[in-house]
Amino acid sequence: AAALDFQPPDKSGDLFPQLLKFLRARQFLLILDNFEHLLGGSNLVAKMMAACPAVAILATSRQALNMAIESRFELGGLEYPESLTAENAGDYTAVQLFLISGRRVRSAFNLNENNIEGVIRICRLVEGMPLGLILAASWLGLLSPAEIAAEIEGSLQFLAADLADLPPRQRSMQAVFERSWTMLAPDEQIVLAGLSIFRGGFTRQAAEQVAGANLRILLSLAGKSLVQRRAQNGRFTLHELLRQFAASKRHEDQDSAQIPRRAHCRYFARKCRQEFRRGLGFWPNQLPMKLAADRENIHRAWDYAVEQGLAEELVELTRGM
């Protein structure tokens, strides 16, 4: 009502019915931004759409409203090059946003052979996330793109800027993820922290055996846009910045932090043993393809087995390597 400058005729009466009556005869596009923390009000949205046929509602939310009349359109990051030396890097929307944001800090900033690789690395590290690109570009007054990329790889807390025209919750990626974290149930927090152990994605079976992610929790995390499922191969992924954040939460308790690492190592050692035995008898030429999707996980499991001196797991992982 305040945004529409609506003054109810009956000051003592219920506001919502009077607002519906006001909207019923009008054509509006009503935008509800960041609706995920207001999901309890989705019933008001449903009533509004039922009573006001000429009102269209566009809601942005990390979590679906779960209404029958809802049409969903999933958003990802901006496009970025796959190659660090892409000749047409300036054609990608992530690079364009970084350039626009960077020129606000350094007016003469432009792509050249000395900085192109660093810019693309930044775009890939934040996976095209617009806020991540804006926060990264704010450091161009002090650091080169290559130095910014190195800082992002080292710590999520680097992506922060005291920008007066951004609300406090959006002035750092840490604050953005903290807000999402506090909205999770305790069992969801435990699972999300455990999933940070994976590299390069994971299967549903791996998530369950390593991080205790049953189907209900996995579905809930996916519904809150914290876990993504790739349609082409059915594997799940975490955004790299979110993975860094979840890993920091896992490391807050040093005793329990090792539990998912140990489970991760043993799971992939067992997977290598199973695929190796199956491959010897039936399709030895297909064995590399069976393990290729998890090569980063196998390397991570190998590193842990070496650190901990897990001889049996090392034997199995050698075959996978």
Side-chain angles (χ1 to χ4, degrees):
L4 296 170
D5 198 23
F6 170 67
Q7 301 296 326
D10 183 1
K11 303 292 185 183
S12 61
D14 190 357
L15 174 61
F16 190 56
Q18 297 182 75
L19 181 62
L20 290 182
K21 186 176 180 180
F22 169 75
L23 290 172
R24 191 173 293 126
R26 287 167 174 79
Q27 191 171 23
F28 269 107
L29 169 63
L30 183 61
I31 300 175
L32 306 173
D33 197 19
N34 291 334
F35 201 76
E36 63 271 4
H37 65 293
L38 298 172
L39 291 175
S42 58
N43 61 320
L44 299 181
V45 176
K47 290 177 181 177
M48 189 178 299
M49 294 197 71
C52 310
V55 173
I57 295 181
L58 173 62
T60 69
S61 177
R62 277 179 253 172
Q63 189 171 351
L65 277 63
N66 288 326
M67 292 163 38
I69 55 175
E70 175 183 10
S71 298
R72 301 179 192 171
F73 183 80
E74 292 188 5
L75 295 175
L78 301 176
E79 294 181 343
Y80 53 89
E82 290 298 322
S83 168
L84 288 177
T85 56
E87 294 182 359
N88 61 336
D91 295 338
Y92 289 85
T93 48
V95 176
Q96 291 170 9
L97 178 58
F98 185 82
L99 284 173
I100 291 170
S101 303
R103 285 170 183 159
R104 293 178 179 137
V105 181
R106 284 171 49 191
S107 59
F109 180 73
N110 211 337
L111 289 179
N112 57 53
E113 60 181 14
N114 295 321
N115 64 27
I116 182 65
E117 185 173 329
V119 170
I120 296 176
R121 277 179 62 204
I122 292 168
C123 294
R124 293 174 67 177
L125 284 168
V126 305
E127 296 185 18
M129 183 186 289
L131 181 59
L133 292 167
I134 292 170
L135 293 174
S138 70
W139 286 94
L140 280 173
L142 185 65
L143 302 173
S144 70
E147 291 172 322
I148 293 172
E151 292 290 340
I152 295 172
E153 287 176 330
S155 173
L156 175 68
Q157 295 185 2
F158 172 76
L159 282 175
D162 191 17
L163 300 174
D165 56 345
L166 286 180
R169 69 177 188 276
Q170 293 181 352
R171 292 179 190 175
S172 75
M173 293 308 307
Q174 185 81 17
V176 169
F177 292 139
E178 281 286 359
R179 189 162 173 263
S180 295
W181 180 263
T182 57
M183 294 169 65
L184 295 177
D187 57 346
E188 292 174 330
Q189 292 178 345
I190 292 171
V191 167
L192 185 60
L195 292 176
S196 69
I197 199 71
F198 291 103
R199 297 290 192 279
F202 50 89
T203 63
R204 173 185 159 189
Q205 292 77 15
E208 183 172 8
Q209 294 189 38
V210 173
N214 60 40
L215 191 58
R216 177 189 63 81
I217 293 180
L218 207 55
L219 180 65
S220 177
L221 292 176
K224 295 172 181 176
S225 303
L226 298 173
V227 172
Q228 289 78 42
R229 186 175 185 271
R230 296 175 182 168
Q232 63 269 34
N233 58 15
R235 289 174 66 84
F236 294 89
T237 61
L238 293 180
H239 190 287
E240 174 55 23
L241 297 183
L242 176 61
R243 192 202 63 73
Q244 285 186 32
F245 172 82
S248 70
K249 290 295 184 182
R250 177 167 53 85
H251 289 135
E252 286 180 358
D253 186 347
Q254 290 297 326
D255 293 333
S256 61
Q258 294 302 317
I259 296 175
R261 284 211 69 184
R262 194 174 303 115
H264 177 273
C265 177
R266 289 174 175 167
Y267 173 84
F268 284 101
R270 186 168 62 250
K271 181 180 176 68
C272 288
R273 179 177 67 247
Q274 292 168 347
E275 293 297 344
F276 188 77
R277 289 177 177 175
R278 188 181 297 119
L280 285 178
F282 298 99
W283 45 76
N285 61 321
Q286 292 186 17
L287 181 60
M289 289 187 291
K290 286 283 185 178
L291 297 175
D294 279 312
R295 61 183 177 273
E296 291 183 65
N297 283 314
I298 293 171
H299 291 169
R300 182 162 175 75
W302 167 272
D303 290 340
Y304 181 78
V306 170
E307 291 170 10
Q308 301 297 317
L310 304 178
E312 184 178 344
E313 284 76 8
L314 281 169
V315 171
E316 307 298 350
L317 289 164
T318 300
R319 296 167 175 172
M321 297 281 277

